[in-house]
């Protein structure tokens, strides 16, 4: 990977889904319309916007889970992990089996996962629940397991979709501290959050998405001030 190239770049990228609106009729729904941004090695980018703005779709586009309908997406690495409550787990498998599956998808070998399973269980605080089916887990338990596996997998780029807001106070503090340690070790992270303080405390730059269009990117305080400006449309 060339050191001067962005790890991920998007140029006027948009994503459309076709859906049926009537007999023999289809229409396109634009999950993203026009997004341009760059992610550089070692930086932490915060993504902020209202519900339905397109933040989760942006992370899926960055991860390569979906392809753009127009525009260009370039990645200089294939080791990109999306950590989301909606992605990657199978409800009928146990937490342990899902940890193995998720670890494999993130590039770990079976031996690596086996060696790190105790650390995954310890960090997630699942203990005896690790061998229960995932369908019996609460939202917070799923989040803790996903976060613990992603930390062990250590991908080149970690994409985090609102997951830091899940769980009790102690786990939020622990996960935020673990993420800060990752950031301080010169890793590359993208965080989607509704919490401005999370973006301010963890991120180097911010991207504001509104109505599935990138409205502003730049220093965190400047973007947050524009996002929170009274009377903005």
């Amino acid at each position: 990977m060339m050191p001067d190239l962005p790890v991920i770049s998007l140029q006027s990228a948009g994503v459309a889904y076709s859906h049926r609106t009537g007999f023999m009729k289809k229409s396109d729904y634009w999950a993203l319309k026009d997004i341009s941004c760059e992610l550089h090695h070692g930086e932490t980018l915060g993504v902020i916007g209202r519900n339905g703005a397109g933040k989760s779709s942006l992370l899926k586009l960055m991860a390569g889970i979906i392809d753009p309908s127009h525009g260009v997406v370039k990645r200089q690495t294939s080791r990109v992990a999306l950590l989301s409550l909606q992605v990657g787990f199978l409800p009928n498998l146990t937490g342990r089996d899902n940890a193995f599956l998720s670890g494999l998808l993130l590039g770990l070998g079976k031996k690596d996962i086996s060696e790190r399973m105790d650390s995954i269980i310890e960090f997630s605080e699942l203990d005896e629940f690790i061998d229960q089916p995932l369908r019996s887990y609460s939202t917070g338990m799923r989040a803790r397991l996903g976060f613990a596996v992603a930390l062990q997998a250590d991908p080149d780029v970690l994409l985090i979709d609102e997951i830091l807001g899940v769980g009790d106070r102690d786990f939020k503090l622990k996960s935020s501290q673990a993420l800060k340690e990752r950031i301080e070790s010169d890793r590359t992270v993208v965080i989607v959050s509704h919490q401005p303080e999370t973006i301010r405390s963890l991120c180097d730059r911010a991207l504001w998405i509104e109505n599935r269009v990138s409205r502003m990117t730049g220093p965190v305080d400047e973007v947050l001030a524009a996002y929170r400006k009274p009377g903005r449309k």
Side-chain angles (χ1 to χ4, degrees):
M1 181 177 65
M2 295 292 291
D4 58 334
L5 291 177
V7 179
I8 301 174
S9 66
L10 289 81
Q11 301 169 17
S12 301
V15 175
Y17 300 103
S18 293
H19 62 101
R20 190 174 298 279
T21 58
F23 183 70
M24 300 292 288
K25 293 183 179 180
K26 289 186 177 180
S27 178
D28 287 336
Y29 167 75
W30 286 92
L32 293 172
K33 295 179 181 177
D34 187 353
I35 303 292
S36 295
C37 67
E38 292 184 345
L39 177 67
H40 296 272
H41 174 75
E43 79 168 338
T44 301
L45 177 69
V47 181
I48 197 162
R50 296 175 178 175
N51 288 334
K55 302 184 301 296
S56 295
S57 295
L58 170 62
L59 293 192
K60 291 178 183 177
L61 192 59
M62 286 182 161
I65 295 173
I66 57 178
D67 294 322
S69 302
H70 68 68
V72 178
V73 177
K74 296 180 180 179
R75 302 178 195 86
Q76 301 300 323
T77 178
S78 60
R79 286 171 42 84
V80 180
L82 172 57
L83 183 54
S84 169
L85 298 179
Q86 289 79 36
V87 174
F89 283 156
L90 299 177
N92 291 328
L93 296 183
T94 67
R96 188 185 302 272
D97 289 339
N98 270 291
F100 265 97
L101 178 60
S102 181
L104 290 171
L105 291 174
L106 293 176
L108 289 172
K110 290 184 178 179
K111 182 179 179 181
D112 294 324
I113 302 170
S114 295
E115 291 175 347
R116 303 178 193 188
M117 185 59 68
D118 287 346
S119 296
I120 292 171
I121 296 171
E122 179 181 1
F123 191 93
S124 65
E125 302 173 1
L126 290 173
D127 300 322
E128 68 272 15
F129 290 100
I130 195 66
D131 291 310
Q132 298 299 316
L134 199 77
R135 64 175 180 271
S136 67
Y137 283 24
S138 67
T139 298
M141 292 166 71
R142 294 187 185 206
R144 280 150 44 193
L145 180 61
F147 195 92
V149 175
L151 285 180
Q152 293 297 319
D154 198 27
D156 291 336
V157 181
L158 181 59
L159 311 175
I160 301 176
D161 189 3
E162 291 288 358
I163 207 164
L164 290 178
V166 177
D168 59 31
R169 179 177 179 274
D170 288 342
F171 188 79
K172 289 178 185 178
L173 290 173
K174 184 168 73 169
S175 58
S176 293
Q177 181 58 38
L179 189 56
K180 285 180 181 178
E181 292 173 359
R182 178 185 175 86
I183 291 169
E184 289 169 358
S185 64
D186 198 33
R187 303 307 172 87
T188 308
V189 181
V190 178
I191 301 173
V192 162
S193 179
H194 283 106
Q195 304 298 324
E197 289 309 313
T198 297
I199 301 295
R200 181 174 285 111
S201 64
L202 294 176
C203 300
D204 305 306
R205 289 192 303 123
L207 168 65
W208 168 21
I209 297 179
E210 190 78 19
N211 295 324
R212 301 175 292 282
V213 173
S214 51
R215 287 285 300 275
M216 183 179 180
T217 183
V220 171
D221 286 340
E222 292 180 13
V223 174
L224 289 180
Y227 174 71
R228 301 171 77 175
K229 184 177 181 180
R232 69 178 178 84
K233 295 182 179 180

